[in-house]
Amino acid sequence: MTEQDVTRLLQKIPQLKQEIGKVIVGQQEVLDEVLVALLAGGHALLEGVPGLAKTLLVRTLAQATDLPFRRIQFTPDLMPTDILGTEVLEEDHGTGHRSFKFNEGPIFASLVLADEINRTPPKTQAALLEAMQEGHVTYAGQEHALPKPFFLLATQNPIEQSGTYPLPEAQLDRFLLYVRIGYPTEQEELAVLSGTTGAVRAEVRPILSGEDVRQLQLLTRQVSISPELLSFVNRLVRATRPATSEVPFIKEYGRWGAGPRAGQALILCAKARALLQGRFAATLEDLRALAPAVLRHRVLLNFNAEAENLTPDDAVAALLAAVKV
């Protein structure tokens, strides 16, 4: 890419946020983390109570990026073939020859919304593992490549227990970021009420094409990060493991720590955040800002922590305070 290409792409990022802001009021931190996951080439899990515009955010992002979009509503009776696709027997009326043809499922889109992913059994949840990790689907021994870019956004409701199936740790680790969505402020909620109950609906223009997204993902990996910060990420991730950690909180309350994938995720996300802000070097602030979303689903706490109402976010805060640059 030339310098003009880079400048053109970076100029589109504020326009993209502006278009999404026509529909989504507030939630700036959530939007930034979703865009970080997109630029870093990973996937994101959005968690929040009903009515916080999780689905609307993903749909608006699809409109603003002009990417092929599919929504999968996860239900208890959903089967893996409902997501991946299936083979059907077709007959050539001219020759009478019969053959199997693979009909692609809704996973074959550049931007896929897995809505309420914890409402379907583990058998169906696991159908996403290969797609998320490898970028292709295997059916009847044949590999079927997914579009590029491929970005999966999954949502789940944290307050319901009946009829839900929590994601296993191995699948949680496939998500680059675990984004939590909170309630809006009083002014933001007032703006939502006034803007969504009238006759006028905002129109979102496409800002980024699929090729623009691919170029931004390539550009993200070229953002620099210093050896000192690489060492900090390495020590931070290793400090999450109770067997070798020197952090008192982890030694007392930790049950399982993060693997090397967490370090890769944190570095890529820091680079993406830097690029979103028009910088070509990741900083300590980038790493600290994204550490909770990267680590909260990769650090498991023991029963003592649950008894004291401690969360993985508390563990991340203790780690950031203890591990120095």
Side-chain angles (χ1 to χ4, degrees):
M1 286 184 289
T2 65
E3 185 177 348
Q4 289 78 10
D5 293 332
V6 173
T7 303
R8 178 184 60 83
L9 288 172
L10 293 183
Q11 287 174 346
K12 287 188 174 185
I13 292 176
Q15 299 174 29
L16 177 68
K17 292 183 178 180
Q18 184 178 0
E19 287 299 311
I20 296 175
K22 290 179 179 178
V23 178
I24 303 299
V25 178
Q27 305 289 10
Q28 191 59 49
E29 184 177 347
V30 173
L31 175 59
D32 286 345
E33 290 180 349
V34 168
L35 292 178
V36 160
L38 176 64
L39 264 61
H43 312 287
L45 177 63
L46 305 179
E47 182 182 86
V49 298
L52 294 183
K54 299 185 295 295
T55 303
L56 182 62
L57 171 62
V58 181
R59 189 178 295 278
T60 306
L61 177 63
Q63 293 172 344
T65 52
D66 198 24
L67 295 175
F69 170 70
R70 298 295 293 272
R71 178 177 182 263
I72 308 172
Q73 180 62 56
F74 281 74
T75 57
D77 60 348
L78 198 71
M79 298 296 291
T81 52
D82 296 328
I83 299 172
L84 305 180
T86 185
E87 284 188 338
V88 295
L89 184 63
E90 288 192 343
E91 181 178 353
D92 189 328
H93 296 291
T95 63
H97 177 71
R98 294 182 178 183
S99 61
F100 283 100
K101 178 185 177 183
F102 180 71
N103 278 357
E104 297 178 348
I107 194 70
F108 286 85
S110 289
L111 181 55
V112 178
L113 169 60
D115 212 0
E116 295 186 311
I117 192 173
N118 59 335
R119 282 195 173 279
T120 201
K123 173 183 177 181
T124 306
Q125 292 173 353
L128 296 174
L129 279 171
E130 182 184 14
M132 293 171 63
Q133 187 66 29
E134 307 297 339
H136 61 70
V137 167
T138 302
Y139 190 94
Q142 296 292 322
E143 288 187 2
H144 303 274
L146 295 170
K148 292 183 179 181
F150 173 67
F151 184 40
L152 180 83
L153 275 163
T155 70
Q156 68 177 14
N157 182 352
I159 62 174
E160 292 181 348
Q161 298 297 326
S162 177
T164 61
Y165 304 84
L167 287 171
E169 286 76 8
Q171 186 152 6
L172 281 173
D173 194 43
R174 288 336 193 258
F175 287 100
L176 192 74
L177 294 179
Y178 186 168
V179 181
R180 286 197 171 135
I181 304 178
Y183 289 108
T185 64
E186 182 177 356
Q187 293 301 317
E188 290 172 350
E189 192 162 358
L190 182 62
V192 170
L193 295 176
S194 64
T196 57
T197 55
V200 179
R201 300 178 68 89
E203 292 188 7
V204 179
R205 298 180 299 112
I207 300 298
L208 291 179
S209 65
E211 182 59 31
D212 289 336
V213 173
R214 285 193 292 269
Q215 289 184 343
L216 282 169
Q217 289 175 345
L218 291 174
L219 191 59
T220 295
R221 289 182 172 268
Q222 297 177 36
V223 173
S224 65
I225 184 169
S226 69
E228 291 80 8
L229 291 181
L230 284 174
S231 175
F232 168 75
V233 171
N234 189 40
R235 287 183 288 112
L236 181 70
V237 172
R238 293 180 65 82
T240 65
R241 303 163 191 167
T244 57
S245 179
E246 299 296 328
V247 181
F249 186 102
I250 299 298
K251 293 175 72 173
E252 182 176 358
Y253 298 112
R255 181 161 64 95
W256 201 258
R261 188 181 283 134
Q264 295 171 330
L266 185 53
I267 291 169
L268 279 174
C269 288
K271 289 184 174 185
R273 185 177 186 268
L275 193 63
L276 282 172
Q277 297 183 2
R279 292 182 280 109
F280 293 96
T283 66
L284 178 61
E285 181 189 354
D286 296 323
L287 296 171
R288 289 184 176 274
L290 291 164
V294 170
L295 295 175
R296 65 167 57 108
H297 56 301
R298 294 181 166 100
V299 176
L300 302 183
L301 303 182
N302 56 28
F303 294 110
N304 294 334
E306 293 182 19
E308 298 186 27
N309 290 324
L310 297 173
T311 66
D313 283 5
D314 297 321
V316 176
L319 285 163
L320 290 175
V323 180
K324 305 298 181 183
V325 179

